[in-house]
Amino acid sequence: MRYLLVLLLSLFAGVVDAGQRNFVFILVDDLGFGDLGYNGSTFYETPNVDALAASGMRFDQGYAACRVCSPSRASIMTGKSTARHGITDWIGAAHGTQWNRDDPVLPAEYVYSLPHEDVTIAEALQDGGYRTFFAGKWHLGAEGSWPEDHGFSINKGGWDKGSPAGGYFAPWVNPRLENGPDGELLTLRLANETASFIEENRGSPFFAFLSFYTVHGPIQTTRELFQKYRDKAETMGLIRQASRFKFDRRLGVRQVQDNPIYAGMVESMDTAVGIVMEKLRSTGLDEDTVVIFTSDNGGVSSGDAYSTSLLPMRGGKGRQWEGGIREPYIIHVPGMTEAGSSSDVPVIGMDFYPTILELAGLPPRPEQHVDGVSLVPLLEGKTIPPRDLFWHYPHYGNQGGEPSSIVRSGDWKLIYYHEDGRNELYQLSDDVGEQSDVASLHPERVHALRKRLGRYLADTNARFPKPDPRFNRDKFDAKIKTLSSTQMVKLEKQHSSFLKSDWNPGAKSRWWGSDVD
């Protein structure tokens, strides 16, 4: 009833017209900056995403709002930074004394669902007469705070969970998405649901948000795709590497892209993107539809499945360095973006909200998207005023990340660590791999950036970790020693085994259910 009333009012006001742009927003989970062909990967094959990048503008310094998923997703939806909306860790993560891994501080508490007082980008577009659709991973709260509670008229598969319960092949476990035939791949199903929505709503302006669960763990693929990439690794001479991991601070970090299971997942994601893009072409909507493609955090180079390498960037998902927060970031606006264009202006996930509103011809909501700016000037080949970017993650990550806050100002990046108050300073234009901490060489710059970071944290009422009274330095040192020695040996053995000619995921798995009689 509300939607019908809004549509009638919008029509009367002249908001909706035949020339209004549609939007397809594609969000991949845990996809790293270097996991795509157009960004330099020679192992993974992503022709559809590469074609999208070639058709629009890629932002080579595009960032997620956080190094883990739920906070980044909330920032896309609200236009607010993580410290401001309060979802600073993935929903379900341990905090306070729940965290008991022999670390110096207790992770801060955080907000557990998307605040209803915020007007999401879906609600803003819905108020402007758009039909709204969500498919895939939500992970922004329990029932009562699902996509349909935040502006999406249709929800296919979005609920509490951040990974696919039951795995990627049907039958899966999802109360918002019916099972298809046994062996159906969830990634392709979500793409087909999105394509069907596009077909059914071709006569009205729409906002379709395709939020893949992939390439988040568990990493699973088909026998055929595994074999393709296992053989490719052999052809590329990747089989007999002496080592695949380097220990960095808290955990081992993958240094090479050669995991055939993960590669199969990346290809399936790319195939799914192709399904949606082909539907836009076949319906003639490709000339009227803005397509946005990005990820919610860096690729998993450490912890979880240790799936990929983000070199030359340091770290990955959950970590404070560029590998954890710099993302694929593509915007294609027919008739506006120059094909194959790129921008080196630093941009971030909060910027999507005001950008979409401007492209939709709808008024801005500055009281809502307070931490984002419209990127339309950049899409038109112009400029935007310089600004600082901020991140706040007062938690430990499962991938070895440390509680820290970050400010990027121009080419400079300062990381402030909440365990002990130390600072790291990197000049990214000369050191994208963050190998040379130059804080001691630039004390005045460190001081100035710390003041800016402090003002941001105060303005957003940021929450902070507290010392853990249970902390024992000897236990901590013993943990690090084990992780840097015994655990590294296990990692190397496990990941080299993936490339054996007779490897399989186990007789009972039937390739995770993808093999069907």
Side-chain angles (χ1 to χ4, degrees), residues 200-211:
E200 293 164 4
N201 292 275
R202 57 194 300 178
S204 304
F206 61 76
F207 175 61
F209 200 105
L210 172 53
S211 177

Side-chain angles (χ1 to χ4, degrees), residues 226-501:
F226 168 84
Q227 192 64 51
K228 171 183 174 177
Y229 285 100
R230 188 269 163 200
D231 293 347
K232 183 173 183 177
E234 184 169 39
T235 299
M236 293 176 66
L238 300 174
I239 297 287
R240 293 182 177 83
Q241 294 183 88
S243 64
R244 291 176 171 81
F245 294 90
K246 173 184 176 181
F247 191 81
D248 188 359
R249 194 78 64 86
R250 301 289 174 101
L251 282 177
V253 182
R254 179 178 267 276
Q255 302 292 294
V256 63
Q257 294 181 350
D258 70 355
N259 186 325
I261 312 167
Y262 183 75
M265 292 185 76
V266 173
E267 178 168 325
S268 294
M269 177 277 297
D270 185 78
T271 299
V273 171
I275 289 171
V276 175
M277 297 305 294
E278 176 55 33
K279 178 58 67 173
L280 291 175
R281 287 189 290 268
S282 67
T283 55
L285 294 172
D286 53 324
E287 293 302 316
D288 301 310
T289 303
V290 176
V291 180
I292 296 170
F293 179 94
T294 193
S295 176
D296 59 353
N297 50 247
V300 183
S301 64
S302 188
D304 301 341
Y306 295 85
S307 307
T308 191
S309 169
L310 284 308
L311 292 179
M313 295 178 191
R314 185 176 179 182
K317 177 183 178 179
R319 294 198 158 207
Q320 56 272 19
W321 300 295
E322 292 293 281
I325 54 178
R326 198 181 294 199
E327 309 304 327
Y329 199 116
I330 303 167
I331 303 178
H332 170 61
V333 185
M336 180 180 293
T337 48
E338 179 183 350
S341 58
S342 64
S343 172
D344 63 359
V345 176
V347 297
I348 196 164
M350 293 83 79
D351 296 336
F352 290 121
Y353 195 128
T355 302
I356 290 170
L357 287 186
E358 184 168 352
L359 290 173
L362 297 174
R365 295 177 180 245
E367 73 289 349
Q368 176 60 53
H369 48 76
V370 292
D371 296 306
V373 302
S374 174
L375 304 181
V376 169
L378 295 175
L379 297 170
E380 294 175 327
K382 303 173 185 175
T383 61
I384 60 174
R387 58 180 171 147
D388 295 339
L389 300 180
F390 299 94
W391 293 263
H392 180 57
Y393 188 71
H395 311 281
Y396 291 101
N398 293 330
Q399 302 80 22
E402 299 152 76
S404 53
S405 300
I406 302 169
V407 56
R408 172 166 179 177
S409 183
D411 289 334
W412 296 94
K413 177 180 175 182
L414 178 95
I415 306 174
Y416 171 78
Y417 289 88
H418 294 287
E419 285 183 335
D420 55 11
R422 75 186 187 278
N423 299 291
E424 290 176 354
L425 181 68
Y426 300 101
Q427 188 170 10
L428 295 177
S429 55
D430 297 331
D431 182 21
V432 72
E434 296 169 284
Q435 296 300 303
S436 299
D437 173 12
V438 296
S440 64
L441 302 178
H442 300 276
E444 291 183 357
R445 189 177 296 276
V446 168
H447 178 71
L449 291 175
R450 276 286 292 116
K451 285 183 66 176
R452 295 186 196 179
L453 181 58
R455 285 196 298 269
Y456 163 77
L457 295 173
D459 290 346
T460 56
N461 296 314
R463 298 179 181 180
F464 299 97
K466 298 177 181 178
D468 189 343
R470 305 168 299 180
F471 179 63
N472 181 295
R473 174 58 65 177
D474 291 339
K475 286 186 177 181
F476 176 83
D477 291 343
K479 176 181 72 170
I480 297 300
K481 182 178 180 180
T482 299
L483 291 170
S484 63
S485 55
T486 307
Q487 180 64 18
M488 289 289 285
V489 172
K490 290 180 179 179
L491 271 178
E492 295 286 2
K493 182 177 181 181
Q494 178 190 29
H495 284 260
S496 65
S497 73
F498 291 153
L499 291 165
K500 291 182 178 179
S501 59

